Amino acid sequence: MYTDSIRNFTKIALKVLLGLTLLGIQPSYAQKSTSNSPYSQFGLGQMREDLFPQTRAMGGISTAVRYLNGIPTLNIANPASYSALNRTVFDAGLYGNFTQLSKNNASDQTADYAFSHITIGIPLSKYGGFAFGLLPYSDIGYSAATSESIDTLSYKKSLSGEGGVNKAFVGYGFSPLKGLSVGANVGFLFGNLYDITRVEFPTSLGAYYTQLKETRNIRGATLDYGIQYSKALGKKYNLTVGYTGSLNNKITAKTGRLITIYEPSSDEDYEAPALDTTTNDPEGTRKINLPLKHSVGFTLSKGYNWMIGADFKYADWSSFQVRQGESKMGESYSFAVGGQIKPDPTSVRYWNQVDYRLGFRYAQTPVLYRNQKINDMAVTFGFGFPLPETNFGRTFSQINISAELGQQGTLKNNLVRERYININLGFTINDSWFIRRSLD
């Protein structure tokens, strides 16, 4: 009865996740932003790190993550981990957020969701392992409006941003020496970012609205690399230390300006098509330097029972400039601590086999706005729900859920404080492929 219930739950979960993933992929590729942060207007927007719910729930530690529950895991944040794969791993998921924006005595709430990742890792036996996939890299989603006037003419000026950048990647990792692994990911970034300025005349029904849409078409290749060293401490414990880095990769931003006019409408939910285009100016192509990134970390684990770890990350954004004449960004620092525990892997009680995860992260972002450094911090937690093994134990799956309760920004200096809850849902399948049959 217990097994049947779990099996039915598995089938339902798979169908729900597949349907939501298909729905989530569509807005992602259509460049609809899932960010609602006013600070996403800087740089390439809100950065989405190469993390799955498993590691997000532990504060985002990832540099030295190689095993979870004593089993090799697909960790695209450090490609050196691919060399440990002993099963083909499929991992896909969704992302959702709930955001409260506050300024002075006013506040507003928003919510959204989208596809978060789809990846596959394949072991190559003694030759290591490789992985490939698709996931969001960054997105923007901000809006602001002011009421102004010229003599007796009143008008409303609004600023907004939308769009996002996606990342397709392929990576390889291998172990040249016992305990030591190295690897690299080659990625391709693509997507459009839009900055929209609109002028409306709410008290003059005969006046046309004007809109300026500035487009940044992002394209380019990236290279990330990593190292891990893993060593057994006695018969029960294992220590892994890791490092990841990225080159100051150069990407291309093709920019353009489109100015259109619109006829006013009394229906706020209806947006009339443009009446005319007054300017359609492709401004040209610029090369952009992505920041140098470095991360070091460690994990200490005891087999199937528990794991703890910490990461420290640094990135130099001082040479980065995505818009012509934009104020330069600075350096960023962050640290994360976290871990997970499985109460009793040998128990027949289901809740003793669930992974319970907890973490904390703090970051000084590269954004300096109104002489105020913008910091980001969050408490994280999550669960890993195992599903019944199939195919004589060669296939096992897990549903992973993580939540990040955080705050970015401040109410000081007339800034916006952003409080958010980020939810990530993922589904992982570990399967043994390419097994030679003993009998035909």
Side-chain angles (χ1 to χ4, degrees):
M1 184 71 175
Y2 169 80
T3 304
D4 291 341
S5 298
I6 295 298
R7 187 175 292 112
N8 291 334
F9 172 73
T10 304
K11 293 179 180 178
I12 294 173
L14 279 170
K15 292 178 180 178
V16 171
L17 182 63
L18 178 61
L20 290 178
T21 301
L22 292 175
L23 288 173
I25 288 175
Q26 183 178 354
S28 176
Y29 289 131
Q31 305 302 330
K32 280 187 63 180
S33 175
T34 56
S35 173
N36 295 290
S37 171
Y39 303 109
S40 67
Q41 64 184 288
F42 301 102
L44 289 175
Q46 195 86 0
M47 306 303 294
R48 306 296 183 192
E49 297 189 62
D50 298 343
L51 301 175
F52 295 164
Q54 301 90 302
T55 48
R56 287 188 184 276
M58 297 184 288
I61 62 170
S62 57
T63 309
V65 173
R66 188 174 179 86
Y67 303 95
L68 289 178
N69 305 320
I71 300 172
T73 186
L74 178 58
N75 174 23
I76 65 174
N78 191 337
S81 65
Y82 302 158
S83 65
L85 294 175
N86 57 10
R87 285 179 170 83
T88 298
V89 182
F90 170 81
D91 206 305
L94 297 173
Y95 162 83
N97 69 342
F98 305 88
T99 305
Q100 181 190 64
L101 302 175
S102 300
K103 183 177 180 181
N104 299 326
N105 295 321
S107 64
D108 189 25
Q109 291 81 33
T110 60
D112 213 333
Y113 79 96
F115 150 81
S116 65
H117 67 278
I118 180 167
T119 56
I120 295 178
I122 300 177
L124 300 176
S125 186
K126 62 181 180 180
Y127 301 105
F130 81 97
F132 59 93
L134 178 66
L135 63 159
Y137 183 78
S138 70
D139 56 11
I140 63 174
Y142 65 90
S143 62
T146 58
S147 296
E148 302 178 22
S149 62
I150 300 176
D151 295 330
T152 59
L153 178 63
S154 299
Y155 64 94
K156 176 183 175 183
K157 182 179 180 181
S158 62
L159 305 173
S160 63
E162 61 185 38
V165 178
N166 297 301
K167 177 182 177 181
F169 78 94
V170 60
Y172 173 71
F174 70 101
S175 180
L177 299 172
K178 183 179 179 180
L180 178 67
S181 298
V182 297
N185 284 328
V186 177
F188 179 72
L189 305 184
F190 61 98
N192 294 317
L193 304 176
Y194 304 103
D195 297 299
I196 302 169
T197 303
R198 186 162 179 155
V199 176
E200 302 177 355
F201 302 90
T203 59
S204 303
L205 297 180
Y208 290 147
Y209 298 166
T210 302
Q211 177 177 287
L212 166 62
K213 189 172 189 178
E214 298 175 282
T215 302
R216 291 168 284 156
N217 178 262
I218 305 297
R219 295 288 187 275
T222 63
L223 176 65
D224 307 306
Y225 50 88
I227 303 172
Q228 287 184 335
Y229 180 75
S230 188
K231 182 176 178 58
L233 302 179
K235 296 182 178 180
K236 295 183 178 180
Y237 303 98
N238 188 84
L239 174 67
T240 301
V241 294
Y243 163 80
T244 61
S246 67
L247 302 177
N248 55 339
N249 303 289
K250 284 191 176 182
I251 61 174
T252 299
K254 186 177 180 181
T255 60
R257 290 164 53 92
L258 176 66
I259 301 178
T260 52
I261 57 174
Y262 294 81
E263 187 176 5
S265 172
S266 58
D267 187 353
E268 295 182 356
D269 297 327
Y270 173 72
E271 183 173 339
L275 291 176
D276 194 8
T277 298
T278 59
T279 301
N280 188 359
D281 181 19
E283 294 187 328
T285 301
R286 299 178 57 243
K287 292 293 185 179
I288 300 173
N289 287 321
L290 292 180
L292 286 166
K293 295 181 180 180
H294 304 280
S295 176
V296 294
F298 80 91
T299 57
L300 178 66
S301 59
K302 180 184 178 183
Y304 294 91
N305 299 98
W306 54 263
M307 183 188 76
I308 57 173
D311 272 17
F312 176 80
K313 299 179 181 181
Y314 165 81
D316 183 6
W317 291 79
S318 59
S319 298
F320 175 88
Q321 192 180 45
V322 71
R323 299 177 182 89
Q324 193 74 37
E326 181 183 50
S327 299
K328 289 188 176 182
M329 304 174 76
E331 298 175 321
S332 68
Y333 305 87
S334 67
F335 72 88
V337 293
Q340 73 168 33
I341 185 172
K342 185 188 291 287
D344 187 358
T346 63
S347 174
V348 295
R349 298 185 61 184
Y350 181 77
W351 294 106
N352 286 338
Q353 298 185 37
V354 172
D355 297 322
Y356 299 89
R357 298 163 178 147
L358 185 66
F360 173 79
R361 60 175 172 79
Y362 175 86
Q364 176 185 285
T365 75
V367 176
L368 178 64
Y369 187 52
R370 293 178 182 171
N371 296 320
Q372 179 73 48
K373 273 288 187 181
I374 304 302
N375 298 324
D376 181 21
M377 67 183 74
V379 174
T380 66
F381 64 92
F383 307 93
F385 297 106
L387 302 176
E389 296 181 0
T390 59
N391 198 18
F392 302 101
R394 292 199 296 265
T395 304
F396 53 93
S397 308
Q398 190 172 54
I399 294 176
N400 298 289
I401 300 174
S402 70
E404 302 168 279
L405 283 67
Q407 176 176 306
Q408 184 175 209
T410 177
L411 293 175
K412 298 179 181 178
N413 297 335
N414 202 32
L415 297 180
V416 176
R417 183 186 65 196
E418 174 188 347
R419 288 179 172 171
Y420 58 83
I421 301 175
N422 295 336
I423 304 294
N424 282 267
L425 170 66
F427 185 78
T428 306
I429 301 176
N430 296 266
D431 199 0
S432 297
W433 289 8
F434 314 116
I435 297 177
R436 179 177 295 177
R437 297 178 183 270
S438 56
L439 296 174
D440 290 333

